[in-house]
Amino acid sequence: MEFKNIILNKKDKIAMVTINRPKALNALNSETLKELDTIIDELYADEEIFAVIVTGEGKAFVAGADISEMKDLSTMEGRKFGLLGNKVFRKLENMGKPVIAAVNGFALGGGCELSMACDIRIASSKAKFGQPEAGLGITPGFGGTQRLARIVGEGMAKELIFTGKIIDAQEALRIGLVNKVVEPEKLMDEVKALANTIAAQAPIAVKLCKTAINRGMQCDIDTGIAYEAEVFGQCFSTNDQKEGMTAFIEKRDKCFKNS
Ligand code: DAK
């Protein structure tokens, strides 16, 4: 399927989702969010895809929600826009496949929020992060007040959101917002290698790990441990569990079938 604002490529079990509005620094308008929604549904249903990469075309990852579209929104329209973005980001977060953000440049506002809805963030040394919404007279609207505090802690999240200050990739690494920083020309190789390593694991196990971690971050540890025991049990109903353990005993390479 062709999209106007997003390029979707699939190769060797990996899907690459490139936000492609470079003239507007990949700002997210409703049209782009709706395309992203369709793409997530497609990737979720595609059993050949084991890992997903999200990145931006040009010098930005995503420079935020589209300010020109938001400028004249009414209260109800603003709410609708926020609900759309949150629905799409939550779907991405819960899609059951690992998602890596390859943050190639500006990740501001909704862009920082998009990267935080991904599981892992790898940044180019040129990347910049921030939640500048308060300076525009709004609050973060795509989960920033919730995910940033969970990732970097309450005090740091409040400082970033209250001041709107923009931080560089090294500072993002220091506060735990990104997993790794690499030189710009190495970013895609690094992210693809990571995606390939993840895609070589048993995909159902990876999916259950993701769900268990996501759920565990939102509940008390006893509930989380009980959930872990549940998904651990479920693994034994998969062919890939038999394959992984048999291949180990037989000292041969594994061949996971996502079943
Ligand atoms: N929206 C629309 N257009 C944008 C944009 C954005 N977020 N960011 C950049 N652009 C456009 C610029 O207007 C410019 O367009 P032209 O003038 O060429 O037509 C083009 O991209 C290139 O940008 P610059 O000329 O500004 O490029 P520079 O390299 O000089 O500066 C910059 C790069 C990233 C520092 C600068 O563009 C910038 O400050 N951009 C805005 C960053 C920002 O404030 N982002 C946060 C957006 S607010 C909610 C729902 C959602 C949200 C909030 C609430 N609810 C419903 C409750 C989310 C809010 C946000 O994300």
Side-chain angles (χ1 to χ4, degrees):
M1 204 187 296
E2 283 289 307
F3 298 95
K4 191 172 155 204
N5 302 320
I6 301 183
I7 302 166
L8 174 62
N9 277 311
K10 298 181 188 176
K11 195 176 171 218
D12 301 335
K13 300 181 182 171
I14 313 290
M16 175 94 74
V17 177
T18 306
I19 313 293
N20 185 34
R21 296 184 73 213
K23 283 186 183 154
L25 302 187
N26 304 323
L28 296 174
N29 56 7
S30 338
E31 190 178 50
T32 309
L33 286 169
K34 284 178 191 154
E35 288 187 0
L36 191 54
D37 192 34
T38 305
I39 286 170
I40 296 167
D41 285 340
E42 179 184 325
L43 295 179
Y44 182 67
D46 189 337
E47 293 185 0
E48 303 295 311
I49 293 300
F50 290 11
V52 178
I53 297 169
V54 177
T55 193
E57 181 64 33
K59 74 173 182 179
F61 176 70
V62 165
D66 192 314
I67 298 172
S68 52
E69 182 177 327
M70 278 190 300
K71 185 170 73 64
D72 297 318
L73 294 184
S74 65
T75 307
M76 287 312 288
E77 288 165 340
R79 190 167 169 273
K80 199 170 156 200
F81 187 60
L83 287 172
L84 172 65
N86 273 312
K87 179 188 99 169
V88 176
F89 285 17
R90 197 83 178 105
K91 198 186 264 190
L92 183 71
E93 188 168 54
N94 290 329
M95 82 186 288
K97 301 198 184 198
V99 185
I100 306 169
V103 185
N104 52 305
F106 293 110
L108 305 178
C112 187
E113 291 168 306
L114 174 61
S115 80
M116 292 191 290
C118 300
D119 300 303
I120 295 171
R121 285 157 292 285
I122 307 294
S124 144
S125 55
K126 285 193 178 160
K128 303 246 188 273
F129 296 82
Q131 297 287 161
E133 286 87 346
L136 293 164
I138 54 175
T139 60
F142 294 156
T145 58
Q146 304 306 304
R147 291 194 184 91
L148 188 59
R150 282 168 168 81
I151 294 171
V152 303
E154 185 184 334
M156 192 58 77
K158 283 178 174 165
E159 182 180 334
L160 287 172
I161 290 173
F162 294 175
T163 61
K165 77 175 172 187
I166 292 174
I167 59 170
D168 64 18
Q170 281 305 332
E171 177 67 356
L173 180 67
R174 192 187 70 78
I175 66 175
L177 182 54
V178 302
N179 295 49
K180 191 170 185 180
V181 177
V182 296
E183 288 311 307
E185 60 278 9
K186 301 221 172 97
L187 179 66
M188 289 326 296
D189 284 349
E190 181 79 27
V191 171
K192 282 181 192 164
L194 177 60
N196 281 325
T197 304
I198 295 172
Q201 315 304 311
I204 297 172
V206 173
K207 171 184 166 178
L208 293 172
C209 291
K210 172 167 170 167
T211 317
I213 294 170
N214 283 2
R215 287 208 182 183
M217 292 303 290
Q218 316 302 334
C219 64
D220 66 276
I221 190 152
D222 289 326
T223 309
I225 294 285
Y227 187 74
E228 184 185 86
E230 185 59 37
V231 296
F232 182 73
Q234 282 175 30
C235 294
F236 291 86
S237 68
T238 67
N239 293 320
D240 285 348
Q241 174 269 325
K242 306 283 178 272
E243 167 62 13
M245 293 192 178
T246 306
F248 175 80
I249 302 288
E250 294 177 355
K251 300 188 191 304
R252 61 168 173 80
D253 288 342
K254 299 154 216 160
C255 181
F256 292 125
K257 298 265 167 45
N258 196 9
S259 64

